[in-house]
Amino acid sequence: MPYSNDHKMQTRARIVEEARMLFNIHGFNGVTIEMVMAEAGLTRGDFYNHFKNKEALFSAAVASFLMGRGAQWRDEAGIDVTCLNPEMARHMIDSYLSDEHLGDLENQCPMIALPSDVARSSADVQQAYQQLLSAMVGLFEKSLAVEGKAPRQEALSLAALCVGGMVLARTLPGSEIAEEVRAAAHATARQMASDPVNPVREASAG
């Protein structure tokens, strides 16, 4: 008997989740279809029932983070997306730039783990990555909105601090300067999310 649609969806989700973790650790070129399917308990032949090629899987793996492991991570960080305020922005900053996030290679945000791979990938992969960035910027905009006005420039700057600080820390593990950058990014981002008027806002107003 043919498998049900639910079974197919569950199998696809399992493949995507195993791929997401493998890509995070080994990068796009370091992962083969055989590796992914072995982790999922399936064969290479099963792969083509769900994906056209490895890049299609890569796109799905990047996109899956937002409402998959990313949603779990936001819950663990105490971020309530139904009640966004400056405290939620600070929770986001503290958790994103934490030692725990840096050390959890399998479950890191793909924006940290895969920027170089994404830059060399297809438009679909880059679009999935952009959706993650847009979601982070949107969270900061809504959390820091004042009188209904979303602070776009601050939100973009916060996202750049969070992602950039962690990319350097992952790229140069154990490096003193990378750790200094991450600590500086954390301190600056916290200040931006805490002060009702800060240098970024003043600059945009001027």
Side-chain angles (χ1 to χ4, degrees), residues 17 20 65-66 68-81 87-88 90-96 98 100-102 104 106-109:
E17 181 64 4
R20 181 190 65 76
F65 181 81
L66 184 60
R69 182 64 184 95
Q72 297 173 19
W73 173 78
R74 290 189 296 275
D75 287 343
E76 292 163 4
I79 300 167
D80 183 355
V81 295
E87 182 182 6
M88 296 299 109
R90 291 190 289 273
H91 285 330
M92 178 75 170
I93 291 162
D94 290 343
S95 186
Y96 202 90
S98 67
E100 291 77 14
H101 190 196
L102 181 61
D104 190 3
E106 285 188 351
N107 292 311
Q108 272 182 2
C109 174

Side-chain angles (χ1 to χ4, degrees), residues 74-168:
R74 290 189 296 275
D75 287 343
E76 292 163 4
I79 300 167
D80 183 355
V81 295
T82 68
C83 184
L84 293 176
N85 53 50
E87 182 182 6
M88 296 299 109
R90 291 190 289 273
H91 285 330
M92 178 75 170
I93 291 162
D94 290 343
S95 186
Y96 202 90
L97 284 159
S98 67
D99 287 329
E100 291 77 14
H101 190 196
L102 181 61
D104 190 3
L105 298 184
E106 285 188 351
N107 292 311
Q108 272 182 2
C109 174
M111 288 194 292
I112 301 166
L114 300 167
S116 295
D117 289 315
V118 170
R120 298 184 182 95
S121 293
S122 68
D124 287 343
V125 175
Q126 292 172 3
Q127 179 62 32
Y129 189 95
Q130 181 175 316
Q131 287 172 355
L132 295 181
L133 177 59
S134 296
M136 176 184 277
V137 172
L139 186 149
F140 284 135
E141 281 187 295
K142 292 173 184 175
S143 296
L144 302 177
V146 176
E147 297 179 353
K149 184 178 180 181
R152 178 74 173 174
Q153 185 174 345
E154 288 168 291
L156 290 165
S157 297
L158 284 169
L161 282 167
C162 287
V163 176
M166 290 294 280
V167 167
L168 287 173

Side-chain angles (χ1 to χ4, degrees), residues 12-66:
R12 185 183 189 279
R14 187 164 83 249
I15 295 168
V16 169
E17 181 64 4
E18 295 296 344
R20 181 190 65 76
M21 293 187 286
L22 286 169
F23 285 134
N24 262 16
I25 295 170
H26 303 292
F28 180 77
N29 289 330
V31 174
T32 65
I33 291 173
E34 287 81 4
M35 288 169 63
V36 174
M37 300 308 281
E39 289 294 324
L42 299 164
T43 67
R44 182 185 176 93
D46 294 322
F47 175 85
Y48 295 100
N49 292 326
H50 302 277
F51 299 98
K52 181 171 135 180
N53 51 40
K54 191 174 80 166
E55 189 145 283
L57 174 60
F58 189 39
S59 178
V62 172
S64 73
F65 181 81
L66 184 60

